[in-house]
Amino acid sequence: MAADAEAFVELALGLLIIIGRVWARWAQVGILNFQLDDYIMPLAGIVFALDTVAAYLVGALFSGLTNSYMTDEERAALDPNSREFYDRQWGSKIQVIGWSLYALGLWLLKFCVAIFYGRLTTGLGHLRLRVHIAYLLLGVTYLVASLSILLGCRPLSDNWRIYPDPGNLCQPTNSKLNVYAVLFPDIITDIYLLSIPLPLLWVVNISIKRKISLMALFSGVIFVIAAGLTRAITILLAGHEGAVTGSQWACREIFVSVIVTNLPVIQPTLRKAAKKVGLSGLFSKSAKSAPSHQTGSNAHGSGYKLSRRKGTHPLSLPQTNAWGSDEQILVQTTPDLSKRPPSGSKNIVVSREFTVTRDDA
């Protein structure tokens, strides 16, 4: 089936992206300097593979049948020894497994993003607090989603009961509890994670073009939210095809999440590779480090300068080397007050600064 081929193509591309990320991080910082998200990401890839296989089994082995979308008459008339009864029971069991893998995969990717932002905000106390809140929020929302899937229907075996009708809570294919318990925490956490880097991007001293490109890079989560909403609506409205269609959209959402999560990490490596083959125009260039120009009226303030250093991430901070990308944007500088212009001057000072940094990675 075309849908099965699509799912496995997405899986192959997703795993390729994850492998590319691991290779990029290895080249940038070395395996001994891997951070927690570098280990979580391959685990997310394994969960993605298992979820894809579960989605395939629902249609390939069990004909897309579950204990949903049946009238009371159909349930009563179904022979417990028939193949259809067997398919509906096992199809429902796979749905429970699929929901669990789906939530686990999404939240593993979210934790990778939060850990990534933890490095991004090193040295920024107010944003570091928001990252810590993200860890707590992700932990609580994952417990809500996973426990709703596993404990929303009691006993657990009612999730694959055919007769009598176990009720919507125990029909995992289109359980409204499952849909809402995953959808709303999914959207809330995505929006919260998006709110962490955007304020930082807004204050850095870079061109508007560069700001827009970086905001677009980090705003890919909007596509993840759209995929999650589409999946929820599809499950609630698809009818008898809900089991197969919902599983397909679960794979699509995780695939989009893999791209969005890894792109900020591998983008510097892609830019380097493009430059080597003469395609550097595909990526926006950052402003080069240049002499600073200050007016006297701003001589006592502090600003942000742009400098370049091999081995740092586009949004890393000075004296950090855990990023492993190719440039550093946010560097806080304080003007030398000893060079304050004399009174009566035009209040214009032109100074040249050199920033020397050390990369121990």
Side-chain angles (χ1 to χ4, degrees):
M1 294 176 59
D4 294 333
E6 176 195 344
F8 283 103
V9 168
E10 291 169 350
L11 173 61
L13 292 175
L15 294 179
L16 184 62
I17 291 171
I18 293 174
I19 292 172
R21 174 221 170 91
V22 172
W23 175 82
R25 289 284 291 161
W26 195 330
Q28 291 161 2
V29 302
I31 192 171
L32 296 180
N33 293 315
F34 271 15
Q35 303 296 308
L36 181 59
D37 55 322
D38 297 317
Y39 297 103
I40 294 178
M41 185 56 66
L43 177 60
I46 294 174
V47 173
F48 182 20
L50 293 175
D51 192 34
T52 302
V53 172
Y56 170 76
L57 292 178
V58 169
L61 294 186
F62 308 117
S63 305
L65 297 175
T66 64
N67 66 346
S68 303
Y69 314 114
M70 298 181 70
T71 65
D72 290 337
E73 293 75 15
E74 290 173 335
R75 294 177 186 277
L78 186 60
D79 183 0
N81 297 316
S82 66
R83 175 68 189 190
E84 181 181 347
F85 190 93
Y86 174 86
D87 286 346
R88 287 188 179 279
Q89 279 201 326
W90 273 99
S92 299
K93 292 177 182 179
I94 295 296
Q95 284 290 299
V96 176
I97 295 172
W99 271 104
S100 301
L101 291 172
Y102 167 69
L104 177 59
L106 286 181
W107 263 260
L108 285 175
L109 293 170
K110 293 175 192 290
F111 272 108
C112 286
V113 172
I115 296 168
F116 179 84
Y117 289 166
R119 295 199 299 276
L120 179 77
T121 56
T122 300
L124 300 177
H126 63 295
L127 291 180
R128 288 287 292 174
L129 176 61
R130 297 183 68 176
V131 173
H132 293 155
I133 293 175
Y135 294 146
L136 178 62
L137 179 63
L138 290 175
V140 171
T141 52
Y142 176 69
L143 286 176
V144 169
S146 60
L147 292 179
S148 296
I149 294 169
L150 296 176
L151 302 180
C153 171
R154 303 301 300 168
L156 182 63
S157 59
D158 274 5
N159 278 294
W160 48 88
R161 190 177 76 190
I162 307 298
Y163 182 80
D165 186 348
N168 181 261
L169 283 178
C170 296
Q171 296 175 18
T173 299
N174 62 340
S175 168
K176 292 181 179 180
L177 175 63
N178 289 356
V179 171
Y180 296 137
V182 174
L183 176 64
F184 291 134
D186 184 20
I187 294 176
I188 291 171
T189 51
D190 281 343
I191 293 175
Y192 183 81
L193 289 173
L194 179 62
S195 73
I196 295 175
L198 292 188
L200 180 62
L201 291 174
W202 188 252
V203 300
V204 292
N205 186 23
I206 56 178
S207 68
I208 293 297
K209 179 181 178 181
R210 182 61 173 159
K211 283 185 179 181
I212 292 175
S213 65
L214 286 172
M215 285 182 179
L217 183 67
F218 286 99
S219 298
V221 69
I222 295 173
F223 295 101
V224 179
I225 294 174
L229 283 170
T230 303
R231 178 179 187 269
I233 294 171
T234 299
I235 289 173
L236 295 175
L237 302 179
H240 289 76
E241 297 296 325
V244 174
T245 307
S247 298
Q248 292 168 354
W249 272 103
C251 295
R252 289 167 186 158
E253 184 179 357
I254 295 179
F255 172 62
V256 174
S257 299
V258 167
I259 296 175
V260 170
T261 304
N262 287 290
L263 191 56
V265 179
I266 65 177
Q267 183 257 4
T269 301
L270 293 177
R271 187 168 60 249
K272 284 183 178 180
K275 184 177 181 180
K276 288 181 179 180
V277 297
L279 297 176
S280 57
L282 294 175
F283 298 90
S284 60
K285 296 182 179 179
S286 300
K288 295 182 179 179
S289 180
S292 63
H293 301 274
Q294 287 186 325
T295 62
S297 60
N298 195 36
H300 299 285
S302 63
Y304 295 97
K305 288 184 61 60
L306 177 66
S307 66
R308 297 182 65 84
R309 177 166 69 92
K310 183 178 181 181
T312 59
H313 190 271
L315 293 174
S316 63
L317 295 172
Q319 296 160 354
T320 62
N321 54 22
W323 288 83
S325 109
D326 70 341
E327 60 185 343
Q328 174 183 343
I329 286 180
L330 190 60
V331 180
Q332 179 124 19
T333 62
T334 304
D336 187 352
L337 296 182
S338 66
K339 297 182 180 179
R340 182 177 179 180
S343 60
S345 69
K346 298 297 183 178
N347 289 333
I348 297 178
V349 175
V350 179
S351 62
R352 183 181 298 272
E353 295 183 6
F354 297 90
T355 301
V356 179
T357 57
R358 178 180 177 183
D359 187 0
D360 297 324

